[in-house]
Amino acid sequence: MTRNTEPLNYKTAGVDIDAGNELVNRIKPLAASTRRAGSNADLGGFGAFFDLKQAGYKDPILVACNDGVGTKLKVAIDSNRHDTVGIDLVAMSVNDLVVQGAEPLLFLDYFATGKLDVEAAAAVIAGIAEGCRQAGCALIGGETAEMPGMYTGEDYDLAGFAVGAVERGQQLTGAAVAVGDVILGLASTGLHSNGFSLARKVVERSGLSYADPAPFDPSRSLGEALLTPTRIYVPSCLAAIREGAVHALAHITGGGLVENIPRVLSGTLCAELEQNSWSRPAVFGWLQHEGNVPEDDMIRTFNCGIGMAVVVPADKVEQAKAIFESNGETVFHIGRIRARKDGDPAVSLI
């Protein structure tokens, strides 16, 4: 057998260093647009510095989290629409930070693909920069990994990492939640970034393509409607926290209301939610009807119209509502906190 002696290099092995460098140059101005006090948001070094004192903190506690976008990425890839999933990536982490009372300060991303498509990657990172601007945090760096053989075709994956800070003694832990507190719900923009494995199954059963008009919103394609980005609640929540109007926050992600609200409740407390007290975006009705999805599965899989639950003292409901509405939120009065008796679920829907 004749041995192949053709010279090999990194590009013939499937990794294009020049494409990677082109992407870095494309995204430098995007990162620069997210500059904030404490960071210059420059790219190109081995790491990035952040000055907490310059950001205004005296005795800060750092809060860190990471998340992804999940199979919503398949909808973006199949729809060839990459400009919004970066917002989702930022939102999923910064919304988790703010529930601790923390201000998001910096963000890093990880983009992995089998073959780097500079245009698609630049669109994704433009979305990440937009999410950072909405959240008020700096995009200080990231990693682009081209890994032939690990991903198929145009597939890619994303991970995001956020770091925030809260002054010592001001963090939200749920310890302040008490009997009689009121639960406000901040409206979601749709599915956000959870439940897409089920949503994609429903689309498959429907026989529709992502290019078809959305049955629940014919003004947009199905792909565009499903890719509506996750709402970033950081500015409104920080405003309410700083006015002392919040006892606890619960970001409603996988598991829905029934599994996320208990994360801020002690074992002696439970939440009662009035199921008809808020309106569901039309996408949820379509998914439930088209997929014949039981109500219990809807509640445990999707946010069903509430992206953030806010526990407030009863005497500050109007103050809190006014703060959230002045920051652009749609607010619903969805429930209350009461004492938990033996056998009570942590969350009940009435």
Side-chain angles (χ1 to χ4, degrees), residues 191 213-222 225-226 228 281-287:
L191 274 65
F216 51 89
D217 184 1
S219 67
R220 298 189 289 172
S221 70
L222 181 56
L226 291 176
T228 301
V283 60
F284 295 110
W286 179 76
L287 288 169

Side-chain angles (χ1 to χ4, degrees), residues 91 99 200 233 252 257 282:
V99 303
R200 287 168 49 243
Y233 298 101
I252 308 305
L257 289 158

Side-chain angles (χ1 to χ4, degrees), residues 253-268:
T253 54
L257 289 158
V258 295
E259 293 191 10
N260 284 288
I261 290 178
R263 296 164 72 174
V264 299
L265 301 178
S266 71
T268 64

Side-chain angles (χ1 to χ4, degrees), residues 270-286:
C270 63
E272 276 188 349
L273 302 181
E274 297 174 19
Q275 198 163 358
N276 296 319
S277 60
W278 71 91
S279 56
R280 293 187 184 185
V283 60
F284 295 110
W286 179 76

Side-chain angles (χ1 to χ4, degrees), residues 12-35:
T12 59
V15 179
D16 190 339
I17 294 174
D18 292 333
N21 289 336
E22 180 186 347
L23 179 62
V24 170
N25 289 329
R26 289 273 295 272
I27 65 180
K28 278 183 178 179
L30 297 174
S33 72
T34 69
R35 283 190 176 97

